[in-house]
Amino acid sequence: MPRTNKQPDNDRIPSSQVAATQAEKAHSSMDRGEQEKKLHDLVQFLLIMDQKKLPIKKLDINKQVLKEHSKALPVMMKLAEEKLRKIFGIELVSLEDKQKGTYILVNTLDTDVDEQLESDPNLTLTPVDWSDENHAKTGLLMVVLSAIFMNGEVMVDSQLYHMLRKLKVDQDVTHPVFGDVKKQLTVEFVRQGYLEYTRQPNTDPPVFEFRWGFRAKKEITKRNCLDFVSQLYEKNPEEWVSQYQVVVEEEGEEEEGSSAS
């Protein structure tokens, strides 16, 4: 077989490795003071943007923070990820599929901080301070997500509104804390990525469905919801047979994924 000067495919440097090398060069081109300032600015930008609970775009990071150092993005994001985890107990998650090229921040702080510190004594956790209103809205969200999960992971709007009225939360009445309840559910929680709100095809009058959004799937486990509902009804999680099975399967898949990595 004649010899050629073409390099075999298996000898080529992977594009991801090339990108990493370029990012490292771009990062090292900055002096130490500039590296630290850009990292500080990046962490602050991520935290401020997360208050709006919107996906954070790479484009915005480059445009508003890194600017002429945008090629250093992969290195800077890795450093920011480490800082967010160690100082704030927050995980930086890169989204895929339709949300590719964006990030969200996920609070990884357990309610038992002592236990987490015992498992990793190097962590210095600073819980984010939430207002009473935010606590209340988080409670409403937990109720809604739990209801959707217990209902087979999808719930039509009329079912959800009926359930909420039993809790004295009426979507047609302005709530003293939540304000416009329907807007909170169908606009705000959807915009933040906690809920999906879609119309069923060929329905007249229109019927809408609620499902978990991409942020809910990252921040909240089905175990959280099952335990929450079990406490409300003073039942053991195992008594909810089908939901408990879903939880066990989810946790089994997570264990397989962590052992594989």
Side-chain angles (χ1 to χ4, degrees), residues 67-118:
K67 299 178 182 177
E68 69 273 16
H69 301 292
S70 60
K71 289 184 179 178
L73 175 70
V75 173
M76 295 299 297
M77 292 303 290
K78 185 176 181 180
L79 294 172
E81 180 180 11
E82 293 172 358
K83 194 166 186 177
L84 286 166
R85 181 181 63 81
K86 290 181 179 178
I87 298 177
F88 299 98
I90 292 175
E91 180 185 357
L92 178 68
V93 176
S94 178
L95 301 178
E96 299 297 333
D97 300 328
K98 294 180 180 179
Q99 299 287 338
K100 192 170 183 180
T102 58
Y103 302 89
I104 60 171
L105 302 188
V106 176
N107 193 343
T108 60
L109 284 179
D110 294 335
T111 52
D112 189 348
V113 176
D114 291 337
E115 181 179 333
Q116 190 169 355
L117 285 172
E118 185 177 337

Side-chain angles (χ1 to χ4, degrees), residues 53 105-107 194 214-221 224:
K53 291 297 180 184
L105 302 188
V106 176
N107 193 343
Y194 285 114
F214 63 83
R215 186 184 290 272
K217 294 173 183 176
K218 294 290 184 181
E219 289 188 4
I220 301 165
T221 67
N224 295 147

